[in-house]
Amino acid sequence: MSSHQPYSFFKSVEKSFDKAAKFTSFDPGILEQIKACNSVYQMRFPLKRDDGSVEVIEAYRVQHSHHKAPCKGGIRFSDEVNQDEVMALASLMTYKCAIVNVPFGGGKGGIKINPKKYSVYELEKITRRYTSELVKKNFIGPGIDVPAPDYGTGSREMAWIVDTYASLKPGEIDAAGCVTGKPVTQGGVRGRTEATGLGVFFGIREVCNMPDVMKKLGLEMGIKGKTVVVQGIGNVGYHCAKFFRENGATVICIAEHDGAVYNPAGLHEEELIQFRNKNGTILNFPGSTTLPKNSDALELECDILIPAALENVINGDNAQRVKAKIIGEAANGPCTPEADEVFAQKGILCVPDMYLNAGGVTVSYFEWLKNLSHVRYGRMEKRFTENQNARILGQMEDLTGKKVDADERAYIMHGADEVDLVHSGLEETMITATREIMEIWNNNPNIPDMRTAAYVNAINKVATSYGELGIFP
Ligand code: GLU
């Protein structure tokens, strides 16, 4: 971004889309239709605060594309929310779902509040009122539009949404599928909480297992030994840090809104969270050096930089100073098109948001399928598999006269639980998506970066599905 022009997130998305559209041969009208936001619902409603005063709340739900139903995307609580932002985020959802073959159109919601400034009771009133406004306008439902968590929201808010929806729609058998990211006790699926962070890890691991890509970046293969910087320690950043650390990378710096902490020997995300819970900040975490500005973290020497907070943090102003070899966009829109130009010159590989952070919506899809099928994953086959494995193991031991050790026995015997199936479905999704995008990029040397290759993939899929639907005969 140039600091002389006001930043428009939606325009940035359109710019990246147009850059990629040149590599496709679809009718310009179809491309225009894909880009446009189909429906924008802006609402205002009153909130009676705990002190008796009344405040007007501004909120949005945008349905970017109806090429598949339902629309899908999170709800953000932030005082930065505005129509342009929600439109951009809804567009990214369309492309994201297309790339990972999740059969939804893109949607997104936002409520312009800083959740830290409201009591739990006030937040509940806001969330329930927002849901009933969506119901009134037919903007929510398992076959219409299905929200989920995003920045500033989590399973608690999703529980309020499903409860409000179900109470307004008595007898709707699939009501649980009106929202995802719910607590497991309210129809959620195991593995949703860590899904985005785990998806980011699977995507970057796949890139790091590609010999030609690593050679070009001058890096060793694999995750082990890589240095990682994470910006944002919310749900996504926390799980990114956890999975990279557990798999042998060193997380040398973690940033929050008020600054960053740096330790070249490695940080432990759980200890950091415990410290923050006690002290209200991550700054001055024992054993680490405090960096006063959150943005300092983005300019550190490292192998992998993971922006996992908000959009527009790496732009035309600071991209030149980024020293990472790989950027993994865990947030939505953290790098602007101007930053992409700089990365291309500097040979930095930016692995784009619109597929890298698709783990959340992928597991949301699994949750929605669970809700529609009314049965927990693994319930039908777990015992059967375990009995069969026990039988095979017994036969092998009889035939060889040798016993398998206890750990190996437990592993072989184990029938898949819900979380095993969800993680495996996510791993498969992220590996396939990474390979598909890389293949498009490799097959067209004029495509300048991975984001453009990802957009080409998304446009191909959405345009084809318009064709399949016969909307443009
Ligand atoms: N808010 C997440 C995203 O930006 C998840 C959306 C969903 O699960 O529908 O992808």
Side-chain angles (χ1 to χ4, degrees):
M1 175 191 88
S2 144
S3 46
H4 314 293
Q5 270 169 3
Y7 168 73
S8 160
F9 190 3
F10 186 62
K11 284 218 173 75
S12 281
V13 173
E14 289 197 308
K15 212 167 160 182
S16 301
F17 181 101
D18 292 340
K19 189 167 157 189
K22 290 202 256 39
F23 297 96
T24 72
S25 52
F26 296 106
D27 182 294
I30 290 188
L31 294 171
E32 276 309 303
Q33 169 56 35
I34 294 174
K35 252 198 314 185
C37 276
N38 289 1
S39 317
V40 180
Y41 176 18
Q42 189 202 80
M43 65 189 97
R44 295 193 193 221
F45 52 80
L47 165 75
K48 189 158 188 190
R49 299 216 54 174
D50 293 345
D51 66 6
S53 65
V54 175
E55 194 180 303
V56 182
I57 303 290
E58 178 183 329
Y60 301 86
R61 183 74 190 174
V62 171
Q63 296 174 348
H64 170 258
S65 177
H66 295 127
H67 76 289
K68 299 222 180 230
C71 292
K72 189 84 191 78
I75 296 178
R76 172 173 293 207
F77 285 5
S78 143
D79 47 16
E80 302 294 316
V81 161
N82 58 64
Q83 185 175 322
D84 177 86
E85 182 190 59
V86 188
M87 284 168 66
L89 293 165
S91 319
L92 285 175
M93 288 308 303
T94 297
Y95 309 133
K96 196 183 292 193
C97 291
I99 292 174
V100 292
N101 297 321
V102 162
F104 297 143
K108 202 79 169 200
I111 304 187
K112 192 177 166 57
I113 52 163
N114 175 353
K116 291 198 182 85
K117 298 200 174 134
Y118 295 83
S119 69
V120 174
Y121 179 57
E122 289 169 335
L123 290 173
E124 178 170 354
K125 282 205 285 188
I126 295 169
T127 310
R128 287 187 182 277
R129 176 63 185 259
Y130 176 76
T131 309
S132 61
E133 294 296 325
L134 293 179
V135 171
K136 265 196 241 169
K137 291 280 193 296
N138 219 15
F139 255 66
I140 184 170
I144 299 169
D145 190 348
V146 180
D150 197 77
Y151 188 86
T153 57
S155 58
R156 179 184 66 181
E157 286 73 19
M158 305 307 120
W160 291 330
I161 293 174
V162 70
D163 185 59
T164 309
Y165 181 85
S167 71
L168 292 170
K169 300 266 180 178
E172 193 172 306
I173 186 89
D174 292 329
C178 77
V179 66
T180 59
K182 303 178 292 289
V184 174
T185 50
Q186 309 277 114
V189 75
R190 289 159 188 85
R192 176 64 183 83
T193 312
E194 66 274 31
T196 310
L198 185 56
V200 169
F201 170 75
F202 284 145
I204 296 288
R205 186 189 65 185
E206 189 57 20
V207 167
C208 291
N209 285 340
M210 295 178 164
D212 45 333
V213 179
M214 288 298 102
K215 199 166 158 218
K216 227 160 111 203
L217 294 168
L219 289 172
E220 296 285 320
M221 299 266 292
I223 292 293
K224 226 177 154 104
K226 296 254 180 321
T227 51
V228 179
V229 171
V230 180
Q231 187 211 28
I233 188 87
N235 177 44
V236 177
Y238 170 86
H239 284 104
C240 286
K242 177 176 182 314
F243 293 117
F244 276 98
R245 181 187 54 74
E246 285 177 353
N247 286 275
T250 310
V251 180
I252 57 167
C253 180
I254 295 180
E256 265 279 75
H257 58 95
D258 54 349
V261 287
Y262 171 73
N263 182 350
L267 295 160
H268 194 297
E269 70 295 332
E270 186 51 43
E271 290 166 9
L272 189 66
I273 289 286
Q274 300 290 345
F275 178 85
R276 188 191 63 181
N277 292 349
K278 230 194 264 151
N279 301 283
T281 175
I282 61 167
L283 306 187
N284 303 315
F285 178 60
S288 71
T289 312
T290 292
L291 311 178
K293 283 204 312 265
N294 150 320
S295 52
D296 292 342
L298 304 170
E299 297 171 19
L300 284 175
E301 196 92 48
C302 65
D303 297 322
I304 304 169
L305 168 63
I306 312 268
L310 286 172
E311 61 266 20
N312 185 26
V313 293
I314 306 176
N315 48 48
D317 295 335
N318 62 352
Q320 272 303 346
R321 298 195 294 273
V322 170
K323 295 179 200 74
K325 306 254 179 20
I326 300 174
I327 299 174
E329 291 189 319
N332 287 308
C335 305
T336 65
E338 290 72 19
D340 279 343
E341 305 287 321
V342 177
F343 300 154
Q345 276 166 26
K346 292 182 63 168
I348 294 174
L349 173 67
C350 180
V351 186
D353 50 1
M354 45 187 299
Y355 105 89
L356 190 65
N357 70 26
V361 76
T362 300
V363 175
S364 277
Y365 171 48
F366 301 155
E367 180 175 334
W368 180 77
L369 291 174
K370 175 188 184 182
N371 296 147
L372 298 191
S373 63
H374 301 264
V375 64
R376 162 174 60 81
Y377 288 107
R379 178 169 171 181
M380 306 300 281
E381 63 273 33
K382 184 178 163 68
R383 287 290 147 199
F384 180 81
T385 313
E386 290 190 348
N387 292 339
Q388 204 167 35
N389 289 348
R391 189 93 169 240
I392 296 169
L393 208 56
Q395 284 292 310
M396 276 172 51
E397 287 179 338
D398 284 352
L399 288 170
T400 57
K402 288 183 190 153
K403 287 271 171 219
V404 172
D405 76 65
D407 280 356
E408 200 54 28
R409 166 174 290 274
Y411 185 83
I412 296 172
M413 292 265 294
H414 179 75
D417 289 317
E418 183 162 85
V419 72
D420 300 320
L421 293 167
V422 163
H423 284 175
S424 143
L426 175 60
E427 185 171 10
E428 162 62 19
T429 303
M430 294 309 297
I431 290 176
T432 306
T434 311
R435 290 186 185 166
E436 256 179 44
I437 295 167
M438 283 298 190
E439 199 178 314
I440 291 178
W441 198 10
N442 287 337
N443 288 342
N444 192 334
N446 292 328
I447 292 181
D449 49 39
M450 198 174 172
R451 187 184 320 280
T452 307
Y455 266 99
V456 168
N457 189 0
I459 295 170
N460 281 339
K461 289 184 181 180
V462 181
T464 312
S465 108
Y466 271 115
E468 277 166 14
L469 289 171
I471 290 176
F472 299 109

